[in-house]
Amino acid sequence: MQLTGYDLTLDDLTAVAHDRRSVVEIAPDVPARLVAARAVVTDIIAQGRIVYGVNTGFGKLSSVTIPATSLAELQVNLVRSHACGVGNPLSEAETRAMLLLRANVLAHGLSGARPVVLEQLVAMLNAGVHPVIPEKGSVGASGDLAPLAHLALVLIGEGEAYFGSERLPGQAALRRAGLYPIALEAKEGLALLNGTQAMSAVGGLALARLLQLAQLADVAGALSLDALHGTATAFDARIHAARPHAGQRAVAAHLRGLLNGSEIMASHRDCPRVQDAYSLRCMPQVHGAVRDVFNFARQTLETEFNSATDNPLVFTDHNDVLSGGNFHGAPVALALDACAMAAATLGGIAERRIERLLNPDLSELPAFLSRQPGTQSGLMMAQVTAAALCNENMGLAHPASVGSLPTGAAKEDVVSMGMTAALKLRTVAENVANILAIELLAAAQALPFLRPRRTSPVLQRVEDFLHTLVPPLEQDAPLSPCIAAIREHLPEVLAVAAGADEA
């Protein structure tokens, strides 16, 4: 793929992040933009003009003028001093996403960095040199300063990086890849540190997973509905045309397609039950609202991916270097917090369907789907695990973005906490994946009790695939491996259900 600075998508991000074989190239017209902006910075230094970020200190120290002979030292000191992260390193995929996003920022040509800085980022990405970046330490104000400083350290041959599976000093990792450290010049350390690329990388990959899980929730919910003798009447297109939220209409159509042709549903069409519980009947309204939030976040993040987020910015039209606040993570933080609330809701409604599948007072099925209730406990504890995950998500759904704490001697007096929002969302997404795995496990274990009637052709394919992962349980067994087996194959479950929304 080619980096232009302007058209990076979430799909591009996930492809490069998860596949080391992806090759990233710099678009042909990008270097000229960087050269032009760099000339503005060079002229400022030659003229002795005082411009923030070029020949001053940073933040509260912006009133300190730095002599030309110390500008290179200033940039290295900036990178070193800001590498203050703690905690576990970001995953390889998250680190690759950060490298890609930071390169895309520089490709704008508004940062004042030389082409060699952009080239080094892209070379590291293509060669598989992945900086060790502690996940905690950013408040998302002047951007993700600490995480980006750990990334920048490796460009200059310091810090640590993974090369293959080996954790090495930064310079050694570069040499293993046939690369060499670069020497930063005026403005270039700042051009690497200001920005929202850590929160956007972590949050973007979590969002990409949640977009898949939102589709999968429809599949799991449809299986549960059929196993519980629910009706598809509530998914009639006319109902959703009367309240035409995009997500709601899309989910209703998806559910109609998934359930089309179900023998189970046809067998109880004239039963006396009038309405299903909300966790079944209101799937279009709830799942659809979740999808709408995720789609809003996707639009926000893709805008952020293609934005110049450092400070100051260099504009070549009038040779201006302007200080602003594009590094502030509020747009990303608010979107990711909204996603955490939406994802917690998605997990919550799935947990209620799990309860209905396992509770004999609600399901018309054997207690806990056990072959010998009493002697066997069946899937009793699976619902307990789902409830525990939902409770954790309730806490994680509390927004990080409202928790501003001033930093930088109160210069950074309102901060976004966007990285906290991203890290929370990553955990919420993992919890939701496990909850949906439990629902799929329960629904697949429930449907054989309804034989000889079968579910729809589409859902039957899904049920059959789930039984290849976890066969119908004839006796009690440890459930953790069963849940893990399904969780690890959730993308394949979704693929099996592909084409289900054509009806």
Side-chain angles (χ1 to χ4, degrees), residues 48-263:
R49 292 165 51 199
I50 305 303
V51 175
Y52 173 73
V54 176
N55 46 21
T56 70
F58 307 107
K60 183 69 173 177
L61 302 175
S62 59
S63 59
V64 179
T65 301
I66 309 299
T69 54
S70 299
L71 294 184
E73 180 186 3
L74 172 70
Q75 299 304 308
V76 173
N77 286 343
L78 175 70
V79 173
R80 288 172 177 164
S81 65
H82 283 57
C84 191
V86 298
N88 295 324
L90 296 181
S91 70
E92 178 180 295
E94 290 164 340
T95 302
R96 290 180 62 79
M98 272 187 70
L99 284 165
L100 180 68
L101 290 174
R102 195 65 213 173
N104 206 48
V105 168
L106 296 187
H108 268 264
L110 299 178
S111 302
R114 294 167 297 154
V116 67
V117 181
L118 172 58
E119 291 162 2
Q120 182 83 332
L121 286 170
V122 172
M124 288 168 54
L125 182 59
N126 288 334
V129 177
H130 303 128
V132 175
I133 303 173
E135 66 182 12
K136 296 181 181 180
S138 170
V139 298
S142 290
D144 295 312
L145 292 171
L148 285 165
H150 284 277
L151 182 152
L153 274 175
V154 179
L155 273 75
I156 63 175
E158 300 185 16
E160 291 184 293
Y162 291 101
F163 184 66
S165 59
E166 234 181 318
R167 183 168 174 167
L168 301 166
Q171 187 166 2
L174 289 174
R175 286 178 176 169
R176 289 277 188 94
L179 303 174
Y180 299 93
I182 62 171
L184 297 178
E185 297 186 1
K187 176 69 169 69
E188 291 179 337
L190 193 58
L192 288 166
L193 267 59
N194 269 167
T196 59
Q197 285 65 58
M199 68 178 82
S200 295
V202 175
L205 294 180
L207 174 60
R209 189 175 193 193
L210 286 168
L211 286 164
Q212 279 197 330
L213 293 177
Q215 295 276 342
L216 195 68
D218 298 349
V219 178
L223 281 168
S224 296
L225 180 137
D226 222 11
L228 290 165
H229 289 139
T231 177
T233 300
F235 312 145
D236 189 294
R238 292 169 291 180
I239 294 174
H240 305 286
R243 193 195 196 194
H245 292 291
Q248 179 176 328
R249 297 182 79 170
V251 170
H254 194 197
L255 290 168
R256 291 195 301 272
L258 288 164
L259 292 159
N260 186 43
S262 167
E263 295 175 5

Side-chain angles (χ1 to χ4, degrees), residues 363-380:
S363 69
E364 303 174 18
L365 292 163
F368 308 112
L369 304 179
S370 171
R371 297 288 173 177
Q372 298 179 45
T375 304
Q376 299 175 356
S377 295
L379 301 189
M380 178 191 295

Side-chain angles (χ1 to χ4, degrees), residues 8-84:
L8 190 67
T9 68
L10 184 60
D11 290 340
D12 294 331
L13 185 79
T14 56
V16 172
H18 291 293
D19 187 357
R20 285 193 187 188
R21 297 168 299 177
S22 298
V23 176
V24 177
E25 298 176 343
I26 300 168
D29 61 334
V30 167
R33 295 204 294 263
L34 271 67
V35 169
R38 185 65 197 174
V40 175
V41 174
T42 302
D43 287 346
I44 288 170
I45 297 169
Q47 295 165 13
R49 292 165 51 199
I50 305 303
V51 175
Y52 173 73
V54 176
N55 46 21
T56 70
F58 307 107
K60 183 69 173 177
L61 302 175
S62 59
S63 59
V64 179
T65 301
I66 309 299
T69 54
S70 299
L71 294 184
E73 180 186 3
L74 172 70
Q75 299 304 308
V76 173
N77 286 343
L78 175 70
V79 173
R80 288 172 177 164
S81 65
H82 283 57
C84 191

